[in-house]
Amino acid sequence: MKLKYSWLILVMVAQVAQAQFSWFGGSTKKKHHEVLLANRAIQIETTQAINNMYNSNFDAAERDFKWLTVKYPEHPIGYFLIGLNEWWKILPDSKVEKYDDACFYNMDKAIDMADDMLDDDSEDKEAAFFMAAAYAVKGRLHSERENWIKAAWASKQAMKYLEKCRGFGDFNPELAIGDGLYNYYSKWIPENYPSLKPMLVFFRKGEKKDGIKQLEYVAQNAFYTRMEAKYFLMQIYSMENQHQKAYYTASQMHSMYPNNSFFHRYAARTAFVLGKTDEAEVLAQELLNNVNSGKQGYEATAGRYAAYILGYLNMNYRNNIPKAKEYYQQTIDFAVQSKAKDSGYFLGANLALGKMAVSEKDYPKAIEYFTIVANNAEKKSDTYKEAKRQIDETKKLMKSARKK
């Protein structure tokens, strides 16, 4: 079973391994390095580049981040931000692998430079922060690729250096994101994946409400990790049925970064969940137009979200069945393209098309759609049970029709 948040499990596993590490004894100070993370002038210089990154203006962001590598050639900040820029190219559709090498390369460069800083001063907390952050991104990407051993090792390193950089007073808001994620997911994972409870028994227990508060603190007060915290909060609010907060956060992010397909599709999804049908329809149509025009970042995943929303609205609100069928079929096509046949939208589209086929008395076609759902849904899920029920009822209707 592949877990959507498997890399977070690896981070928690790494906490146990962390106890086995001892930091190199004593402190060596061969060379002093300027602290850049808490430097307001650097933050001002990088603000536009960071905004470009989150707004999917990746080339412009990379030019400015490369300038940091020239101005601060011995510091990891430039390479880390270039690597993060590559990660955000991956994020809209994580199955796209063409940016992997560049992401890993720049994170490794950041790690090497931070390691050199630690050679000069073993107590350099800023260097430890970049080690933790770069290894965390590597762990996330390795877990997306199901490279579990590499992901576990990278996560273990991230935890090791995260502990080392604690106490960096001027940068505490940035560091709180790790605690927030741990507190929330240490409770969420066993609640949603009971089979993992035995392996979590020795971990420090967290509280979801504390994790949410910490992430909200980061979203309000941090500079470099603010948007990363909001990225997680959008999803957490939805999982906690705090749909109004999810909608507000997603709408805010989409307004700030209108070219970011992840924020765009989340704005459409949360509007849809809240029944804001007109807004959801506009956002979904914009999403689909961007996918069809080949706009950067608007991949099959965005198309799947958009097409399903438009199919549902046309079926249930516009009573435009031909259009609904068209959009539901697009949902299926996008899901197949992105290898997401277990996704809710793929299953929902097939269920809807099956029900429409039943209403049109095309029973063989309906059974075909329902069987697709049964074959791809989790066996204990309500969706699977619904598909099996629909198959049985449709077979009865088909048998009855033959007798007439």
Side-chain angles (χ1 to χ4, degrees), residues 18 26 115 121 137 160 184 193 226 246 275 313 324 327 330 334 347 360 398:
Q18 163 65 19
D115 196 35
D121 179 1
V137 174
K160 168 184 167 183
Y184 181 81
Y193 297 96
R226 175 183 299 159
L313 294 178
Y327 286 126
Q330 286 185 47
F334 282 126
L347 301 174
E360 295 169 354
M398 186 163 57

Side-chain angles (χ1 to χ4, degrees), residues 162-386:
L162 181 62
E163 291 301 318
K164 181 63 178 176
C165 64
R166 293 195 187 283
F168 188 2
D170 291 337
F171 209 56
N172 280 342
E174 311 289 348
L175 303 180
I177 191 171
D179 292 329
L181 290 171
Y182 181 89
N183 279 324
Y184 181 81
Y185 284 104
S186 66
K187 294 290 286 186
W188 182 88
I189 288 169
E191 288 174 2
N192 290 272
Y193 297 96
S195 63
L196 295 174
K197 281 184 180 180
M199 68 176 283
L200 302 177
V201 68
F202 298 109
F203 296 121
R204 171 177 64 83
K205 290 180 170 48
E207 290 293 336
K208 288 200 293 186
K209 63 180 181 180
D210 292 338
I212 292 172
K213 285 181 181 178
Q214 287 166 321
L215 290 171
E216 289 173 339
Y217 168 72
V218 175
Q220 291 285 334
N221 296 284
F223 178 78
Y224 293 100
T225 57
R226 175 183 299 159
M227 298 308 169
E228 299 298 319
K230 290 187 176 184
Y231 157 76
F232 284 107
L233 281 170
M234 279 191 302
Q235 299 166 87
I236 287 171
Y237 287 146
S238 292
M239 292 187 294
E240 292 297 307
N241 294 318
Q242 298 180 30
H243 299 300
Q244 192 64 47
K245 282 188 174 182
Y247 166 75
Y248 173 78
T249 305
S251 297
Q252 179 191 53
M253 299 303 285
H254 177 52
S255 177
M256 292 174 64
Y257 305 115
N259 295 319
N260 184 309
S261 68
F262 186 89
F263 299 144
H264 190 164
R265 76 180 191 233
Y266 237 84
R269 174 185 172 180
T270 53
F272 176 60
V273 168
L274 286 174
K276 298 177 182 290
T277 55
D278 290 343
E279 183 177 355
E281 186 172 32
V282 169
L283 288 167
Q285 190 61 64
E286 290 172 349
L287 265 175
L288 195 57
N289 291 344
N290 288 341
V291 172
N292 291 334
S293 67
K295 186 172 181 177
Q296 171 140 14
Y298 287 80
E299 311 282 354
T301 300
R304 186 173 78 244
Y305 276 63
Y308 182 85
I309 291 170
L310 292 169
Y312 186 93
L313 294 178
N314 275 280
M315 179 180 176
N316 295 283
Y317 289 88
R318 308 289 181 252
N319 197 29
N320 190 336
I321 300 304
K323 269 292 182 185
K325 288 181 179 180
E326 177 185 333
Y327 286 126
Y328 279 137
Q329 186 56 54
Q330 286 185 47
T331 305
I332 292 168
D333 293 341
F334 282 126
V336 171
Q337 184 181 333
S338 59
K339 300 178 182 178
K341 292 171 75 173
D342 59 344
S343 68
Y345 288 157
F346 173 82
L347 301 174
N350 277 287
L351 273 176
L353 286 169
K355 290 175 182 178
M356 283 189 277
V358 169
S359 69
E360 295 169 354
K361 299 183 179 180
D362 188 349
Y363 302 128
K365 191 66 176 176
I367 291 173
E368 183 181 329
Y369 284 123
F370 296 141
T371 301
I372 290 172
V373 176
N375 288 341
N376 289 280
E378 290 189 11
K379 296 299 182 279
K380 294 182 180 179
S381 68
D382 291 338
T383 303
Y384 175 81
K385 294 173 184 175
E386 169 70 4

Side-chain angles (χ1 to χ4, degrees), residues 51-151:
N51 284 337
N52 278 330
M53 176 179 70
Y54 286 117
N55 201 30
S56 300
N57 297 326
F58 298 119
D59 290 343
E62 185 175 348
R63 283 195 297 271
D64 288 338
F65 292 152
K66 281 184 175 178
W67 173 81
L68 287 173
T69 68
V70 174
K71 187 171 183 179
Y72 305 102
E74 297 182 348
H75 199 283
I77 188 170
Y79 286 104
F80 174 77
L81 290 172
I82 293 171
L84 192 63
N85 196 47
E86 297 296 327
W87 169 250
W88 272 93
K89 293 178 186 178
I90 295 167
L91 196 56
D93 191 341
S94 60
K95 291 183 173 62
V96 174
E97 299 185 13
K98 62 183 176 181
Y99 306 112
D100 288 17
D101 289 346
C103 184
F104 283 130
Y105 171 81
N106 285 288
M107 289 304 168
D108 284 337
K109 285 285 291 184
I111 288 168
D112 289 343
M113 300 184 86
D115 196 35
D116 288 342
M117 291 170 66
L118 286 169
D119 284 343
D120 291 332
D121 179 1
S122 63
E123 298 300 319
D124 190 324
K125 294 186 181 299
E126 184 178 47
F129 171 82
F130 278 108
M131 295 289 274
Y135 273 122
V137 174
K138 288 187 67 176
R140 290 170 73 180
L141 184 48
H142 277 308
S143 68
E144 286 290 344
R145 303 295 173 247
E146 300 187 31
N147 299 324
W148 302 120
I149 294 175
K150 290 182 178 180

